[in-house]
C-alpha cells in the first residue's frame, strides 16, 4: 500500500523530490529542538497542480499530509509520525509585483526576506518583520497568521493578505486570488485558511499587500520608570505622529542580563541596568516627516526626541539613546532579535506567547511573579514583549525537569492571562504545544464549531492531523 | 404545530414582542421597494438568552429564522416567506466603552449613529460611515460587512471588529468577545460570521474598534480632467499626508444631472458640469496637522489646497472648491449621500455594486458604455463610486421593464467586471439579488466550500435560508 503510494509520488515528482531514509534528515527536527518528525517521505512539489495530485494520492491511500515551509515555527505545527511531509519550498516564485496597486503575488515557498527585497526593489515595503525572516516562508507565515515587530502599525499577516490559493484535502484548488480591497461575494473563506496551520488545506500562493516604504526611521532605546509610564510614551508618540510608531518592544532587566551572559559581545544600552527597557521605532512616510530641516535634523526624529526629552523632565523616562546611524539602529534591533536564541538556549523551559490588553501587561507580570515562588521557589523567568500589541513572550525556567511542575507553572501563567482578558496564543499559533491550552481556555462552543468545520472540509482527517484541535 | 411554536414564543417573549397579522407591516417591505416579506411572525428578543431560546424553538419546529436589524440592506437579505423574522432591535445596549483601549462593546441592535455619538462623547470616532447610518444597526452592519465612505482609511466592518457573540442555529452561544489585537487560538471564526448575512447564526454583540477622532477635516469638491488624473490626485494626497485621505468619492456628470432633476434645491458644484467630479476629504489626527498656523490656516487644508493648486497648473484638475466651514462640508457630503435616494427613485433599475482594481475603474466605465447601446439603445446609466476603494455603484435604467433584458444588461456589466479582475459584490452583499451572480462568477470550489460550511453549521438549513448560496 505504502509502496504503491511512494511509487506514484516518485512518478509524479521524480525521485529527487521524494525524500526517504536519511535524505529526510533536514526535515526531522525543528528549530526549537523540542519536536522531532518521522515522515514516511518528504515530497517537494513544483507547482499547485502537483500539490493537488499529491493530496489526491494521499486521500486514496489514507495517508496524512503535513505541509511545511521554512520550519521556523515554535509550536510543533509541522511535525508528523508516518505522514507525508509536503514541503512547499519549490513553489518559490514571486509571480508578480504590481507597484501601482501595491500588491505582490507570491507562492508559498517564497522566503520572507526575499519578498522584502523584491518589494524594496520597487520602492515599497512588505511590513511583516521578525527574527526568522531569512528562513520563514510565506506559506507558513500565512498558515500561522504570523505577527512580529510591526503588527502595531500594519497588522498581522491576516491584515496583509488580499487573496489566497489553497489546495483542499481532496485535491480541489480553491481560487480566492483577489487583489481587491472590497469583496463581499459570500463567506470570507480566506481568513478561515489563514492561521489554520495547514489543517484545512495547503496554501500554495497569496496576494499580499505592500505599503509605502518608510523614507526614514527614528529609533531609540530608552529606560522607562515603569511599564505604565512606557505606555504613556507610546500613546504620546502615536498622538504626535499620527500613528507612525512601527514597533514598541519591551526588554526587561531579566532579558538583558541573560543576553549579556549568552552574548557578552552585544553590550547593554544602560549602566546600571533598568527594569524597563524599551526599543521604539517611528517610521516617516511623508516628505515633511523625512526631509531634513535647515539644521539637518529629521522632523520624525525631532518628534521622538522632543517627546523623550519631555518625559525625562517629568521623570517617566530615565535614560534614552536615539540611533544616530543605520548601524546604531541595527545594533538596537540585534539586541532585541536575539531573544529567541537566548530563550531556547536553556532547557527545561516553559515558553509562552500570551497577549493581554495593553494596560494588563504590568498587572500580569506582577501577578505571575508574585505567584511563582510558591509553585517553584527556584524558578527563573525571561520575557520580551511586543508591548504595543500587548504580546508577551514569557518564559519560565523551572528548577527541575518535571512534566507535572511544568504543567502547573504553565497553568499559572495562563490562568492569570485569562483572568485579565488575554489569550494563551498571541502569534505563534497552537500546533502541538498549545493544544492542552485550547482545551482548558478556549470557549467550548468555539472548539466545537472548529471541529465541525474541520470535519466538513477534511472528513478523513488527513490534513496535518492532531494539530490545533484538542 | 405552528400554533404550538407561537404559543411558546409568546410565553418566552410576551405578547408585545411576537408580532402577527398587521403588526408585522413595518417589517414586510424594505427600503428598496424591490422585496416584500411575509413572516409567520416578527419576534423581538430582549437579550442573547432569548435569541438562543428562539433558535432552539425554531429548530424544534423546523421553522426558518431570518435575523433583521435596521433593514437598510439593498439586496433582499432580510426577507422571508413564512419564517420567523428575528429583530435584534431590543438588543440595543452599548455594554461598555473603554476609551483607553479604544473599544466599544455594542449589541446587535445599536443604531450606527448611536455608536457614532457614544464614541464622540468619549473623544473618539467609530469610522464606519454611510447614508443609512441613522437606521442601520450593528448586527446588520456586521452581517453584511458593510463598507461606506471611509473604508479607504479605516477598512470595512471586518477590519473594525475585534470580537463577536453569535447564537448558532441550534441555540448554542459562541463567545468570541475578545478585545485583543493578537489572538491565534485556533480558526478565525469571527471573520466567518462577519458577512455571512445571518445564514450561519445570529450576531448578538460585538467588540468594535474606535479610532482617534480627526481634529479637523479638509474637504473639497473638484473637477478632474479624467479618472486617471483623479487617481494621480489621490496618490499625491496619500503621499503628502501619510495616508490621511478619509474619502475619495466620484460623482460623474450623469449623477449630478439626475441629482439636480430630483433635488433642484441641492445645487451643483460647477457650471458647466464636468465629466468627473470628486469629493475628497482628508482628516487631521495630529496637532501639527490640525492646529492653525500663524495665518489661521490649517496645515491639513494647506496640504490639500497646495496639491490641488499644483494639479490645476498642470491641467489635471479643472476646478475646485475647498469647504470653508462645517456647513459647506456638510453640503458637499449631502450632495453625495443623496445617491441612494436618486438611484432608487426610478424604476425599472438594474443596480450593481462592483469593485475593481483602482486603475480598472475607467476602463470598465468605457467598456460598459461602449457595449450598452447594442444591448439597449435607449438605456441610461447612473453611477457613483467610492473611487478610493475601486467600488462603483453602477445603475442601468433599461428602456423597458423586461426580465430578459435586465439579465442581459446585468451580465454585460458583470462580464466586464470579471474580465478586469473585479467582483460583482463589493459592499452590499449577496442576499437574494446577487445569487445568480454568485452562480455565474464565483469560483465553483469556493461555492462548494461555502455550502459545506453551511451544511456543517446549519444542517437543517433554517438560518436565513435561500440567501447567498445559489
Amino acid at each position: 500500500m505504502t509502496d504503491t503510494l511512494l511509487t506514484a509520488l516518485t512518478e509524479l515528482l521524480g525521485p529527487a523530490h521524494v525524500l526517504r531514509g536519511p535524505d529526510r534528515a533536514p526535515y526531522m527536527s525543528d528549530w526549537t529542538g523540542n519536536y522531532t518528525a518521522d515522515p514516511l517521505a518528504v515530497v517537494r512539489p513544483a507547482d499547485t497542480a502537483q500539490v493537488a495530485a499529491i493530496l489526491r494520492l494521499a486521500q486514496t491511500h489514507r495517508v496524512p499530509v503535513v505541509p511545511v515551509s521554512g520550519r521556523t515555527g515554535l509550536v510543533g505545527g509541522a511535525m508528523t509520525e508516518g505522514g507525508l511531509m509536503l514541503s512547499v519550498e519549490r513553489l518559490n516564485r514571486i509571480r508578480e509585483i504590481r507597484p501601482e496597486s501595491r500588491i505582490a503575488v507570491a507562492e508559498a515557498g517564497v522566503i520572507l526576506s526575499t519578498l522584502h527585497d523584491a518589494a524594496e526593489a520597487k520602492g515599497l515595503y512588505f511590513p511583516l518583520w521578525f527574527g526568522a525572516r531569512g528562513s520563514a516562508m510565506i506559506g507558513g507565515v500565512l498558515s500561522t497568521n504570523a505577527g512580529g515587530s510591526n503588527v502595531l502599525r500594519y497588522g498581522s499577516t491576516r491584515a496583509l493578505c488580499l487573496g489566497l490559493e489553497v489546495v483542499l484535502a481532496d485535491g480541489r484548488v480553491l481560487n480566492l486570488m483577489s487583489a481587491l480591497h472590497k469583496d463581499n461575494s459570500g463567506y470570507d473563506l480566506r481568513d478561515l485558511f489563514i492561521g489554520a496551520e495547514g489543517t484545512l488545506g495547503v496554501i500554495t500562493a497569496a496576494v499580499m499587500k505592500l505599503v509605502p516604504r518608510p523614507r526614514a526611521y527614528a529609533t531609540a532605546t530608552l529606560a522607562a520608570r515603569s511599564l505604565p509610564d512606557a505606555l504613556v510614551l507610546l500613546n504620546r508618540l502615536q498622538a504626535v505622529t499620527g500613528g507612525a510608531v512601527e514597533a514598541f518592544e519591551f526588554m526587561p532587566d531579566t532579558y538583558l542580563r541573560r543576553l549579556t551572559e549568552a552574548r557578552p559581545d552585544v553590550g547593554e544600552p544602560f549602566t546600571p541596568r533598568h527594569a524597563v527597557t524599551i526599543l521604539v521605532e517611528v517610521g516617516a512616510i511623508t516628505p515633511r516627516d523625512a526631509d531634513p530641516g535647515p539644521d539637518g535634523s529629521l522632523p520624525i526624529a525631532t518628534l521622538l526626541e522632543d517627546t523623550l526629552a519631555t518625559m525625562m523632565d517629568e521623570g517617566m523616562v530615565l535614560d534614552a539613546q536615539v540611533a544616530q546611524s543605520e548601524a546604531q539602529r541595527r545594533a538596537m534591533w540585534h539586541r532585541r532579535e536575539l531573544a529567541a536564541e537566548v530563550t531556547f538556549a536553556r532547557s527545561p523551559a516553559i515558553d509562552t506567547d500570551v497577549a493581554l490588553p495593553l494596560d494588563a501587561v504590568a498587572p500580569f507580570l506582577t501577578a505571575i511573579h508574585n505567584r511563582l515562588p510558591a509553585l517553584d521557589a527556584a524558578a527563573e523567568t525571561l520575557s520580551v514583549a511586543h508591548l504595543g500589541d500587548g504580546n508577551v513572550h514569557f518564559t519560565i525556567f523551572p528548577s527541575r525537569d518535571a512534566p507535572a511542575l511544568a504543567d502547573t507553572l504553565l497553568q499559572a501563567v495562563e490562568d492569570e492571562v485569562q483572568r485579565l482578558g488575554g489569550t494563551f496564543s498571541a502569534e505563534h499559533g497552537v500546533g502541538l504545544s498549545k493544544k492542552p491550552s485550547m482545551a482548558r481556555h478556549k470557549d467550548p462552543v468555539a472548539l466545537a464549531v472548529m471541529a465541525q468545520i474541520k470535519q466538513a472540509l477534511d472528513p478523513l482527517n488527513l490534513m496535518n492531523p492532531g494539530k490545533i484541535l484538542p
Side-chain angles (χ1 to χ4, degrees), chain A:
Chain A
M1 187 74 175
T2 295
D3 284 349
T4 318
L5 171 61
L6 290 168
T7 303
L9 288 167
T10 304
E11 278 173 19
L12 176 69
L13 305 173
H17 299 299
V18 181
L19 308 182
R20 307 219 51 208
D23 291 346
R24 303 167 305 154
Y27 301 85
M28 292 175 72
S29 58
D30 85 345
W31 190 89
T32 68
N34 293 337
Y35 304 96
T36 53
D38 186 15
L40 172 65
V42 177
V43 292
R44 299 191 298 202
D47 55 29
T48 303
Q50 288 193 351
V51 174
I54 291 166
L55 294 197
R56 283 192 298 268
L57 283 170
Q59 179 167 272
T60 301
H61 292 82
R62 302 288 194 270
V63 171
V65 177
V66 177
V68 304
S69 55
R71 294 176 301 108
T72 62
L74 300 175
V75 294
M79 296 295 109
T80 179
E81 296 290 321
L84 285 177
M85 213 174 233
L86 189 160
S87 170
V88 296
E89 68 200 271
R90 292 172 69 213
L91 283 74
N92 61 359
R93 286 188 312 138
I94 296 178
R95 293 183 187 167
E96 193 179 8
I97 289 193
R98 288 173 18 208
E100 70 291 345
S101 307
R102 290 188 185 158
I103 60 160
V105 183
E107 295 180 348
V110 171
I111 291 172
L112 180 53
S113 61
T114 302
L115 184 55
H116 287 153
D117 294 345
E120 185 171 345
K122 303 284 185 180
L124 293 166
Y125 179 47
F126 181 64
L128 196 74
W129 195 266
F130 49 80
R133 61 189 173 273
S135 313
M137 296 174 185
I138 296 302
V141 161
L142 285 159
S143 290
T144 57
N145 186 31
S149 301
N150 290 160
V151 171
L152 180 60
R153 185 165 198 178
Y154 302 103
S156 297
T157 304
R158 188 181 302 293
L160 299 171
C161 178
L162 292 171
L164 274 190
E165 180 184 87
V166 182
V167 182
L168 301 172
D170 57 10
R172 287 176 297 167
V173 178
L174 177 61
N175 180 354
L176 305 169
M177 290 291 273
S178 167
L180 301 169
H181 289 264
K182 276 185 176 174
D183 188 353
N184 275 354
S185 55
Y187 302 158
D188 175 22
L189 300 179
R190 177 189 63 198
D191 283 303
L192 189 60
F193 290 95
I194 296 173
E197 303 185 21
T199 63
L200 300 176
V202 181
I203 294 173
T204 47
V207 182
M208 305 304 293
K209 289 186 205 171
L210 304 176
V211 301
R213 186 174 163 69
R215 294 159 176 259
Y217 291 106
T219 309
T221 300
L222 61 108
R225 187 175 56 184
S226 68
L227 275 178
D229 289 341
L231 290 180
V232 171
L233 171 64
L234 173 60
N235 290 334
R236 289 193 190 175
L237 280 174
Q238 295 288 40
V240 296
T241 65
V245 179
E246 303 252 331
F248 199 80
E249 303 285 310
F250 167 43
M251 294 174 283
D253 48 355
T254 51
Y255 171 65
L256 292 172
R257 180 169 55 79
R258 280 176 196 285
L259 174 64
T260 294
E261 286 166 11
R263 291 289 299 265
D265 56 305
V266 171
E268 293 196 39
F270 307 113
T271 310
R273 196 180 285 144
H274 293 281
V276 178
T277 297
I278 301 285
L279 168 60
V280 59
E281 182 156 279
V282 188
I285 58 174
T286 64
R288 68 190 172 129
D289 272 343
D291 291 353
D295 63 350
S297 66
L298 291 185
I300 193 78
T302 303
L303 285 174
L304 175 60
E305 287 163 11
D306 290 352
T307 305
L308 289 171
T310 301
M311 290 189 63
M312 286 185 79
D313 290 346
E314 296 168 333
M316 289 192 274
V317 169
L318 306 176
D319 205 345
Q321 299 171 352
V322 177
Q324 301 298 325
S325 66
E326 179 63 16
Q328 287 184 9
R329 173 178 173 246
R330 290 274 159 214
M332 289 182 179
W333 273 108
H334 186 53
R335 198 184 281 135
R336 167 63 183 86
E337 291 186 336
L338 285 168
E341 182 180 319
V342 171
T343 304
F344 286 95
R346 176 170 167 178
S347 72
I350 300 147
D351 70 295
T352 73
D353 162 43
V354 305
L356 295 136
L358 267 64
D359 55 3
V361 170
F364 160 71
L365 290 172
T366 301
I368 191 64
H369 281 124
N370 286 341
R371 192 165 162 184
L372 271 184
L375 303 174
D376 183 357
E380 295 177 43
T381 70
L382 174 68
S383 55
V384 289
H386 306 298
L387 185 60
D389 310 313
N391 179 189
V392 184
H393 298 313
F394 187 79
T395 304
I396 303 174
F397 301 114
S399 61
R400 59 191 189 279
D401 193 1
L405 176 62
D407 197 51
T408 299
L409 295 172
L410 180 65
Q411 286 204 39
V413 171
E414 292 182 351
D415 288 348
E416 295 299 334
V417 167
Q418 185 156 36
R419 184 177 63 79
L420 290 162
T423 177
F424 57 86
S425 180
E427 62 175 10
H428 293 169
V430 177
L432 292 171
S433 73
K434 306 287 174 58
K435 277 173 61 181
S437 312
M438 284 285 276
R440 282 198 291 261
H441 298 291
K442 192 74 183 175
D443 178 54
V445 178
L447 289 176
V449 170
M450 289 179 202
Q452 288 175 283
I453 291 170
K454 169 74 172 172
Q455 169 70 22
L457 297 188
D458 180 20
L460 301 175
N461 192 27
L462 296 178
M463 293 307 309
N464 206 3
K467 309 299 176 0
I468 294 189
L469 297 170

